[in-house]
Amino acid sequence: MKSNAALLDLSPQAPFDHGVDPGPHPGPACPAPLAPAPGHPDSATTVPVFVVPVGSASPHGSGTGLSPDDCPALNGRSRATLDGADRRRLLARLPERVSAAMAAAGHWELYGTRGLLVVACGDDARRMGFSVESVRPETSPPDTPYEVLTGHESRIAATRPAPERDRLVTRFWVRKDAALQAVGRGLSLAPERIEAGFPGDRGTVTVPGPHGLDVPVSVRNIAFSSAYEFAVAVPEPLALTPAFSYPVG
């Protein structure tokens, strides 16, 4: 089965098959990956990451056996947390290219929101954090509560018009969520304790660790669709970078 990345309304800055499929693709060059920390080899270990759109207003559909509402239920699941029957059912419903990579990998992790599933393959996916959230239309209330913001982030958001403000709140949230996942904290730590209001699309988020030790995490927002906010996080100084691939029919 195939899925059509065009259903995502991909932005002009979208990365196409960076480091996964060497075949030619139209469109702009990929954005630079997260840079390795000083003292590490120039060539970072890549983690294959597949972005799978599920369902659409298009009459042709997405070509997968999943429904848009299946994706949130898969968020945070991994190969180890799905039993054999559920794994087989999932692999049978995903695009062939994605299911083949998952079947070959010893480990994979899933991140999803309504209409979108992100699959990170390989053992190194355990050491990274990913977070994706849909951005609702202006007429709908935001999915992300403002209570996740720090005082600094709230002041930044307050200066923006309502549609832009809701997107910014979601962007701050996925940064925090990805950073917490990257250090294995999950939601054991209140997100309003973490500052992620850096300008631009990348920066360092400091996550309070055990025994009073702070953990710096490199976080980057990836802009691939106007309908979603997405962030990837890597604890410093690990030399890991995502290699994105969009299944295209």
Side-chain angles (χ1 to χ4, degrees):
M1 286 184 282
K2 300 282 182 72
S3 68
N4 188 351
L7 301 178
L8 277 173
D9 183 25
L10 292 171
S11 75
Q13 291 78 32
F16 286 90
D17 288 329
H18 178 54
V20 176
D21 181 359
H25 290 275
C30 306
L34 288 166
H40 278 257
D42 291 335
S43 56
T45 300
T46 57
V47 176
V49 180
F50 296 90
V51 178
V52 185
V54 177
S56 169
S58 165
H60 302 295
S62 68
T64 74
L66 296 172
S67 77
D69 290 325
D70 288 328
C71 298
L74 292 169
N75 184 52
R77 306 301 296 272
S78 68
R79 188 181 189 280
T81 60
L82 290 175
D83 63 30
D86 286 339
R87 285 199 300 269
R88 289 189 294 271
R89 186 160 47 247
L90 175 63
L91 294 179
R93 294 179 177 182
L94 287 172
E96 182 178 351
R97 184 174 168 199
V98 181
S99 59
M102 293 170 69
H107 178 78
W108 40 260
E109 299 192 7
L110 308 174
Y111 308 88
T113 188
R114 191 177 191 280
L116 189 74
L117 188 67
V118 177
V119 183
C121 292
D123 285 337
D124 285 315
R126 303 175 193 265
R127 303 192 292 168
M128 302 179 74
F130 300 87
S131 182
V132 60
E133 189 63 71
S134 58
V135 179
R136 300 177 71 83
E138 181 180 351
T139 55
S140 301
D143 283 338
T144 306
Y146 283 37
E147 287 78 9
V148 303
L149 302 183
T150 64
H152 175 246
E153 293 161 354
S154 295
R155 290 189 291 273
I156 295 174
T159 65
R160 308 297 175 85
E164 186 180 347
R165 182 169 62 244
D166 292 343
R167 174 174 291 278
L168 189 62
V169 172
T170 304
R171 185 174 303 150
F172 290 162
W173 160 243
V174 296
R175 290 174 180 175
K176 296 167 187 266
D177 188 30
L180 286 167
Q181 291 184 31
V183 299
R185 293 300 302 268
L187 290 179
S188 65
L189 192 67
E192 62 270 22
R193 291 181 57 194
I194 302 170
E195 178 59 55
F198 54 81
D201 65 354
R202 69 183 71 197
T204 297
V205 173
T206 301
V207 179
H211 313 298
L213 299 176
D214 291 340
V215 182
V217 182
S218 294
V219 180
R220 179 180 173 189
N221 291 101
I222 304 294
F224 58 77
S225 168
S226 61
Y228 299 96
E229 283 292 333
F230 179 56
V232 57
V234 181
E236 298 176 358
L238 292 180
L240 298 173
T241 185
F244 287 96
S245 179
Y246 298 96
V248 180

Coordinates of all heavy atoms in Angstrom, one line a residue, residues 165-202:
R165 N -1.0 32.9 17.7 CA -0.8 32.6 19.2 C -1.0 31.1 19.4 O -0.3 30.4 20.1 CB -1.6 33.4 20.0 CG -1.4 33.2 21.5 CD -2.1 34.3 22.4 NE -3.5 34.3 22.2 CZ -4.2 35.3 21.7 NH1 -3.6 36.4 21.2 NH2 -5.5 35.2 21.5
D166 N -2.1 30.6 18.9 CA -2.5 29.2 19.1 C -1.4 28.2 18.5 O -1.1 27.2 19.1 CB -3.9 28.8 18.5 CG -5.0 29.5 19.3 OD1 -4.7 30.0 20.4 OD2 -6.1 29.6 18.7
R167 N -0.9 28.6 17.3 CA 0.1 27.8 16.7 C 1.4 27.8 17.6 O 2.1 26.8 17.7 CB 0.4 28.2 15.3 CG 1.6 27.5 14.6 CD 1.7 27.9 13.2 NE 0.7 27.3 12.4 CZ 0.6 26.1 12.0 NH1 1.6 25.3 12.2 NH2 -0.4 25.7 11.2
L168 N 1.7 29.0 18.1 CA 3.0 29.2 18.9 C 2.9 28.4 20.2 O 3.9 27.7 20.6 CB 3.2 30.6 19.2 CG 4.5 31.0 19.8 CD1 5.7 30.7 18.8 CD2 4.6 32.5 20.1
V169 N 1.7 28.4 20.8 CA 1.6 27.6 22.0 C 1.8 26.1 21.7 O 2.5 25.4 22.5 CB 0.1 27.8 22.6 CG1 -0.1 26.8 23.8 CG2 0.0 29.2 23.1
T170 N 1.2 25.6 20.6 CA 1.4 24.2 20.2 C 2.9 23.9 19.9 O 3.4 22.9 20.3 CB 0.6 23.9 19.0 OG1 -0.8 24.2 19.3 CG2 0.7 22.4 18.6
R171 N 3.6 24.9 19.3 CA 5.0 24.7 19.0 C 5.8 24.6 20.2 O 6.7 23.7 20.3 CB 5.5 25.9 18.1 CG 6.9 25.8 17.6 CD 7.3 26.9 16.7 NE 6.3 26.9 15.6 CZ 5.9 28.0 14.9 NH1 6.4 29.2 15.3 NH2 5.1 27.9 13.9
F172 N 5.5 25.5 21.2 CA 6.2 25.4 22.5 C 6.0 24.0 23.1 O 6.9 23.4 23.7 CB 5.8 26.5 23.4 CG 6.3 27.9 23.0 CD1 5.7 29.0 23.5 CD2 7.3 28.0 22.1 CE1 6.1 30.3 23.2 CE2 7.7 29.3 21.7 CZ 7.1 30.4 22.3
W173 N 4.7 23.6 23.1 CA 4.4 22.3 23.7 C 5.1 21.1 23.1 O 5.7 20.3 23.8 CB 2.9 22.1 23.6 CG 2.5 20.6 23.8 CD1 1.9 19.8 22.9 CD2 2.8 19.8 25.0 NE1 1.8 18.5 23.4 CE2 2.3 18.5 24.7 CE3 3.3 20.1 26.2 CZ2 2.4 17.5 25.6 CZ3 3.4 19.0 27.1 CH2 2.9 17.8 26.8
V174 N 5.2 21.0 21.8 CA 5.9 19.9 21.2 C 7.4 19.9 21.5 O 8.0 18.8 21.6 CB 5.6 19.7 19.7 CG1 4.1 19.5 19.4 CG2 6.1 20.9 18.8
R175 N 7.9 21.1 21.6 CA 9.3 21.1 22.0 C 9.5 20.5 23.4 O 10.5 19.7 23.6 CB 9.8 22.6 22.0 CG 9.9 23.3 20.7 CD 10.2 24.8 20.9 NE 10.4 25.5 19.6 CZ 10.6 26.8 19.5 NH1 10.6 27.5 20.6 NH2 10.7 27.3 18.3
K176 N 8.7 20.9 24.3 CA 8.8 20.4 25.7 C 8.6 18.9 25.7 O 9.3 18.1 26.4 CB 7.8 21.1 26.6 CG 7.9 22.6 26.8 CD 6.7 23.2 27.4 CE 6.7 24.7 27.5 NZ 7.2 25.1 28.8
D177 N 7.5 18.4 25.0 CA 7.2 17.0 25.0 C 8.3 16.2 24.4 O 8.7 15.1 25.0 CB 5.9 16.8 24.2 CG 5.4 15.4 24.3 OD1 5.6 14.7 25.3 OD2 4.7 15.0 23.3
A178 N 8.9 16.6 23.3 CA 10.0 15.9 22.7 C 11.3 15.9 23.6 O 11.9 14.9 23.7 CB 10.4 16.6 21.3
A179 N 11.5 17.0 24.2 CA 12.7 17.1 25.1 C 12.5 16.1 26.3 O 13.5 15.4 26.7 CB 12.9 18.5 25.6
L180 N 11.3 16.1 26.9 CA 11.1 15.2 28.0 C 11.2 13.7 27.6 O 11.8 12.9 28.3 CB 9.7 15.4 28.6 CG 9.5 16.7 29.4 CD1 8.0 17.0 29.6 CD2 10.2 16.6 30.7
Q181 N 10.7 13.4 26.4 CA 10.9 12.0 25.9 C 12.3 11.7 25.7 O 12.8 10.5 25.9 CB 10.1 11.9 24.6 CG 8.6 11.9 24.8 CD 7.8 11.6 23.5 OE1 8.3 10.9 22.6 NE2 6.7 12.3 23.3
A182 N 13.1 12.6 25.2 CA 14.5 12.3 24.8 C 15.3 12.0 26.1 O 16.3 11.3 26.0 CB 15.1 13.6 24.1
V183 N 14.9 12.5 27.2 CA 15.7 12.1 28.5 C 14.9 11.1 29.3 O 15.3 10.9 30.5 CB 16.0 13.4 29.3 CG1 16.9 14.4 28.5 CG2 14.7 14.1 29.7
G184 N 13.8 10.6 28.8 CA 13.1 9.5 29.5 C 12.3 10.0 30.7 O 11.9 9.2 31.5
R185 N 11.9 11.3 30.7 CA 11.1 11.8 31.8 C 9.6 11.8 31.5 O 8.8 11.7 32.4 CB 11.5 13.3 32.1 CG 12.9 13.6 32.6 CD 13.1 12.8 33.9 NE 12.2 13.2 35.0 CZ 12.4 14.2 35.8 NH1 13.6 14.9 35.7 NH2 11.6 14.5 36.8
G186 N 9.2 11.7 30.2 CA 7.8 11.7 29.9 C 7.1 12.9 30.6 O 7.7 14.0 30.7
L187 N 5.9 12.7 31.1 CA 5.2 13.8 31.7 C 5.3 13.7 33.2 O 4.5 14.2 34.0 CB 3.7 13.7 31.3 CG 3.4 14.2 29.9 CD1 1.9 14.1 29.5 CD2 4.0 15.6 29.6
S188 N 6.4 13.1 33.7 CA 6.7 13.0 35.1 C 7.1 14.4 35.6 O 7.1 14.7 36.8 CB 7.8 12.0 35.5 OG 9.0 12.4 34.9
L189 N 7.4 15.3 34.7 CA 7.8 16.6 35.0 C 6.8 17.6 34.4 O 6.4 17.5 33.3 CB 9.2 16.9 34.5 CG 9.9 18.1 34.9 CD1 10.3 18.0 36.4 CD2 11.2 18.3 34.1
A190 N 6.4 18.6 35.2 CA 5.4 19.6 34.8 C 6.0 20.4 33.6 O 7.1 21.0 33.8 CB 5.0 20.5 35.9
P191 N 5.3 20.4 32.5 CA 5.9 21.1 31.3 C 6.1 22.6 31.5 O 7.0 23.2 30.9 CB 4.9 20.9 30.2 CG 3.6 20.5 30.9 CD 4.0 19.8 32.1
E192 N 5.3 23.2 32.4 CA 5.5 24.6 32.7 C 6.8 24.9 33.4 O 7.2 26.1 33.6 CB 4.3 25.2 33.5 CG 4.1 24.6 34.8 CD 3.2 23.4 34.8 OE1 3.0 22.8 33.7 OE2 2.6 23.1 35.9
R193 N 7.5 23.9 33.9 CA 8.8 24.1 34.5 C 10.0 24.2 33.4 O 11.1 24.5 33.8 CB 9.1 22.9 35.4 CG 8.3 22.9 36.7 CD 8.7 21.8 37.6 NE 10.1 21.8 37.9 CZ 10.8 20.8 38.5 NH1 10.2 19.7 38.7 NH2 12.1 20.9 38.8
I194 N 9.6 23.9 32.2 CA 10.7 23.8 31.1 C 10.5 25.0 30.2 O 9.4 25.2 29.7 CB 10.5 22.5 30.4 CG1 10.6 21.3 31.3 CG2 11.6 22.4 29.3 CD1 10.3 20.0 30.7
E195 N 11.6 25.7 30.0 CA 11.6 26.8 29.1 C 11.9 26.4 27.6 O 13.0 25.9 27.4 CB 12.6 27.9 29.6 CG 12.7 29.1 28.7 CD 11.4 29.8 28.6 OE1 10.8 30.2 29.6 OE2 11.0 30.0 27.4
A196 N 11.0 26.6 26.7 CA 11.2 26.2 25.3 C 10.8 27.4 24.4 O 10.4 27.1 23.2 CB 10.4 25.0 25.0
G197 N 10.9 28.6 24.9 CA 10.5 29.8 24.1 C 11.6 30.4 23.3 O 11.6 31.6 23.0
F198 N 12.5 29.6 22.8 CA 13.6 30.1 22.0 C 13.1 30.6 20.7 O 12.2 30.0 20.1 CB 14.8 29.1 21.9 CG 14.4 27.8 21.3 CD1 14.2 27.6 20.0 CD2 14.2 26.7 22.2 CE1 13.9 26.3 19.4 CE2 13.8 25.4 21.7 CZ 13.7 25.3 20.3
P199 N 13.7 31.6 20.1 CA 13.3 32.1 18.7 C 13.8 31.1 17.7 O 14.8 30.3 17.9 CB 14.0 33.4 18.6 CG 15.2 33.3 19.5 CD 14.8 32.5 20.6
G200 N 13.3 31.2 16.5 CA 13.7 30.3 15.4 C 13.2 28.9 15.5 O 12.3 28.6 16.3
D201 N 13.8 28.0 14.8 CA 13.3 26.6 14.7 C 14.1 25.7 15.5 O 13.8 24.5 15.5 CB 13.1 26.2 13.3 CG 14.4 26.0 12.5 OD1 15.5 26.4 13.1 OD2 14.4 25.5 11.4
R202 N 15.2 26.1 16.2 CA 16.0 25.2 16.9 C 16.7 25.9 18.1 O 16.9 27.1 18.1 CB 17.1 24.6 16.0 CG 18.2 25.5 15.6 CD 19.2 24.8 14.7 NE 18.5 24.5 13.4 CZ 19.0 23.6 12.5 NH1 20.1 23.0 12.8 NH2 18.4 23.4 11.3

